[in-house]
Amino acid sequence: MRSRRLGFVVLIISAFTAMSVSSSFGANPIPERWQPSPPPTDAPSWGIWQAGNSNSFTKSGGTGLLSFKAENYERLKSKPTSVKKCFNYPSIECPKNEYQTFLAAFGKCSETLQTDCVDEISAIRADGTNLVVKYLTDLPGNDGFLFKGNKDAGLPSGSSSFLVEIPDAPHSNGNKYLIDAIMFGDRLPSEEKFRMQSFEAQIYAVSLREGKFNLQTPALNAEAYSILGIHASAGGIDESCIQLNLTTCAQRESLPKDIKFSLKFKLSVPIDGWLHGRASNVEAIISSDNKMNQELTISANPVQVPTLFGWIPKESTPEDLKNFYAAMPTGLLNMGSGYCQNYAICLPYQAPSLLRSTDPSPPGVKEIALWLPILKDKAVVAPTIWNIRSMEGQIQNSCSLNRNSVLGIVSTNATSYLSGPPTFNTSTGTLDYLVLAPHYLQDDSVFLGSYDLAINSDLARCIYGFTSAPIQASISVVSANGQTQVATTSLLEKNGFILLSAKGFEFSNPTLKVTLSQEKNVQVQNTTPVPVSNSVIVTPKIEGKASISKKTTITCTKGKATKKVTGINPKCPVGYKKYN
């Protein structure tokens, strides 16, 4: 039985069902199937396992809408007294005076499933060739926990992840892929609507293995839930399977990094704010259909992400890491996989040895940084990943007030990073972002980093007080010792987003600094909160002038193409000429 806390930060690692798993590979290693090994000795030990990829909620219980009774109703405090599954809300099983949680997997859109689904899947080669994608089947399919959504209550429908085939995009073992997207959230009896806590989308390259397997579903006994707000599941599962039903296991394979995969979602509960993940060259398109569903398209290439793993006896733990754990609240410290003598599994708070993993937060990044010297700044493996998730937080600036759409996407191949948006550094005028990964891969080669930032064009202009004129950008990579590295950078404005990218920098824990600029005669000072929308034009305030000049519009041409630019002293974009 497994349990997880619902919320953006997920700290609990599932306990292993088979302790014969080794951290070493045979002759043909498959990085995506790597599993950690138990402590090497019976000595009480600390362990770290930072895999870079998300543990799929679909795998650990799948879709489910559950209703709980409790003596009182407080998230992460109250103890449930009963639990039952629901097929819709409100209902006899799911009344308004109880607490509910949901995990809603998104299936393939069809005549019977027209929202909370994946409408389109595409795969594009580097040369622009659009490859044929064929839907195969749902996996796991209907496990008895599918449920119908309620848009007015903020509840999406719960379906199933599914398999597709891309004949011209072969991976390490075949051409099948698992599309695994899920949203989860909850509501208290006092709340009118459900609160969406997180959204996650992941694409796996898979091969299929037939056999007899035990399906894992949400647990329906109250004893499995120590508090309201965690997710618990029942039934066994094969650790080599990323998804399965009673007869079919989908095993992970290596994704082709030269293919750009794209998912288009139809969502009754819109995604807003910021997204983050493990991917490269990320782009997003946002619109609405005629039924007012949000249409969100995310395109990106997979990346290789180094995995950190190792054990150290507690008596040999360096003082800085020992002090870090000593200062950690007991509940957080015990989140991990506990090991008793002879590698038997036991509850974390009873365990002399504990294998931990961190969340994408400042303490989490600090913990990994303390482990890097112990692990000789080296990865054990580097699987390929395509993963995008929602995140909490805003850039600390008044321009981020209205979150009615996706404001930005931060993606990287780093092992650990801060999941929130970049920090706006007022002293330097830069958007700063901290990433962390081992300096070396398992073959002793130097690991090179990638970082992509897609930021809403209106938001960027508001933060810096820019007009609608073109923006220039630079990205600097500053190492922990203060030295600036050389990296390949690029800038593009497309589909309402400014897309910035840095490639080829080295780890362990550099800070990425993004600087946006315009020509001085159009740069402005803006102190008024500006709502983010698709049509905002920031009115500039020119330093040293008593009044503001009137905005004018000019027409710019480039061959047969024309553009209109509005602003004070507007100028044509690079490559365009003013039409007289």
Side-chain angles (χ1 to χ4, degrees), residues 91-224:
S91 63
I92 294 175
E93 295 80 15
C94 259
K96 292 185 177 181
N97 62 352
E98 291 184 4
Y99 170 82
Q100 286 91 29
T101 63
F102 71 83
L103 284 172
F106 296 153
K108 180 71 177 70
C109 293
S110 64
E111 290 185 3
T112 58
L113 184 64
Q114 297 187 9
T115 187
D116 304 320
C117 55
V118 183
D119 192 36
E120 296 176 10
I121 308 100
S122 64
I124 304 173
R125 288 192 185 131
D127 62 4
T129 304
N130 210 323
L131 307 179
V132 174
V133 180
K134 300 177 181 179
Y135 165 80
L136 294 178
T137 187
D138 289 350
L139 186 72
N142 191 344
D143 59 0
F145 282 81
L146 307 191
F147 62 91
K148 184 179 179 180
N150 182 334
K151 186 173 183 177
D152 292 337
L155 175 69
S157 294
S159 187
S160 170
S161 53
F162 58 95
L163 295 168
V164 298
E165 183 179 66
I166 311 178
D168 295 323
H171 51 67
S172 57
N173 186 14
N175 56 22
K176 294 180 176 61
Y177 295 83
L178 177 73
I179 310 302
D180 179 13
I182 198 161
M183 184 181 288
F184 57 99
D186 66 349
R187 70 166 284 279
L188 292 169
S190 59
E191 295 172 335
E192 287 296 318
K193 291 188 175 185
F194 283 82
R195 182 184 67 166
M196 193 277 285
Q197 295 196 36
S198 187
F199 164 81
E200 179 179 356
Q202 190 145 320
I203 298 174
Y204 298 97
V206 298
S207 59
L208 303 183
R209 176 164 57 93
E210 301 303 315
K212 293 183 179 181
F213 305 98
N214 294 319
L215 192 63
Q216 193 169 28
T217 59
L220 293 177
N221 58 308
E223 292 74 19

Side-chain angles (χ1 to χ4, degrees), residues 1-4 60-61 66 217-221 224-225 230-234:
M1 183 172 296
R2 305 181 182 192
S3 64
R4 282 186 169 178
S60 63
L66 303 180
T217 59
L220 293 177
N221 58 308
Y225 302 87
I230 66 170
H231 175 69
S233 52

Side-chain angles (χ1 to χ4, degrees), residues 213-436:
F213 305 98
N214 294 319
L215 192 63
Q216 193 169 28
T217 59
L220 293 177
N221 58 308
E223 292 74 19
Y225 302 87
S226 58
I227 50 176
L228 291 178
I230 66 170
H231 175 69
S233 52
I237 195 165
D238 189 319
E239 287 294 336
S240 66
C241 307
I242 192 61
Q243 187 54 278
L244 49 73
N245 57 25
L246 294 175
T247 60
T248 303
C249 160
Q251 303 176 121
R252 289 187 67 182
E253 304 289 346
S254 298
L255 285 158
K257 293 186 291 182
D258 60 343
I259 300 292
K260 192 164 194 174
F261 296 94
S262 177
L263 299 179
K264 179 182 178 181
F265 299 93
K266 283 183 175 289
L267 304 169
S268 65
V269 180
I271 305 297
D272 62 12
W274 285 78
L275 300 174
H276 70 106
R278 272 37 183 257
S280 181
N281 307 315
V282 180
E283 296 181 48
I285 302 175
I286 304 157
S287 60
S288 298
D289 66 10
N290 56 10
K291 296 182 179 179
M292 297 308 293
N293 292 308
Q294 184 187 60
E295 293 186 328
L296 171 63
T297 302
I298 301 174
S299 305
N301 288 83
V303 290
Q304 263 187 301
V305 180
T307 295
L308 285 167
F309 169 75
W311 291 95
I312 187 170
K314 290 183 178 180
E315 64 179 12
S316 305
T317 304
E319 286 300 312
D320 52 1
L321 183 59
K322 187 181 298 183
N323 293 336
F324 179 83
Y325 286 149
M328 185 177 290
T330 303
L332 293 178
L333 183 64
N334 287 330
M335 287 187 173
S337 293
Y339 294 81
C340 297
Q341 284 191 340
N342 300 317
Y343 314 138
I345 295 254
C346 61
L347 294 175
Y349 58 83
Q350 298 174 339
S353 296
L354 191 71
L355 181 64
R356 292 180 46 79
S357 181
T358 72
D359 62 305
S361 66
V365 172
K366 181 178 180 180
E367 182 175 353
I368 295 299
L370 293 173
W371 270 95
L372 282 176
I374 300 170
L375 303 176
K376 302 187 185 305
D377 215 357
K378 185 176 177 179
V380 292
V381 71
T384 50
I385 298 171
W386 192 106
N387 175 269
I388 298 291
R389 303 178 67 181
S390 62
M391 64 177 163
E392 296 176 346
Q394 300 183 38
I395 291 178
Q396 296 304 305
N397 183 282
S398 58
C399 297
S400 295
L401 284 181
N402 287 359
R403 300 198 337 167
N404 56 6
S405 186
V406 173
L407 300 183
I409 306 173
V410 183
S411 58
T412 179
N413 64 351
T415 302
S416 186
Y417 59 92
L418 300 182
S419 65
T423 301
F424 183 60
N425 189 327
T426 55
S427 63
T428 61
T430 57
L431 295 170
D432 294 354
Y433 198 73
L434 178 66
V435 293
L436 184 146

Side-chain angles (χ1 to χ4, degrees), residues 498-529:
I498 296 171
L499 309 175
L500 303 106
S501 177
K503 302 284 191 295
F505 56 88
E506 296 183 9
F507 291 96
S508 299
N509 52 344
T511 298
L512 285 298
K513 292 182 174 288
V514 176
T515 303
L516 301 180
S517 60
Q518 273 185 337
E519 293 184 21
K520 290 184 178 180
N521 64 335
V522 296
Q523 190 164 353
V524 299
Q525 183 182 45
N526 176 54
T527 58
T528 304

Side-chain angles (χ1 to χ4, degrees), residues 5-34:
R5 169 180 172 174
L6 283 177
F8 178 72
V9 176
V10 180
L11 295 175
I12 299 176
I13 305 174
S14 301
F16 305 119
T17 56
M19 295 323 301
S20 59
V21 179
S22 172
S23 62
S24 61
F25 284 115
N28 296 306
I30 300 175
E32 289 71 22
R33 296 189 207 169
W34 185 93

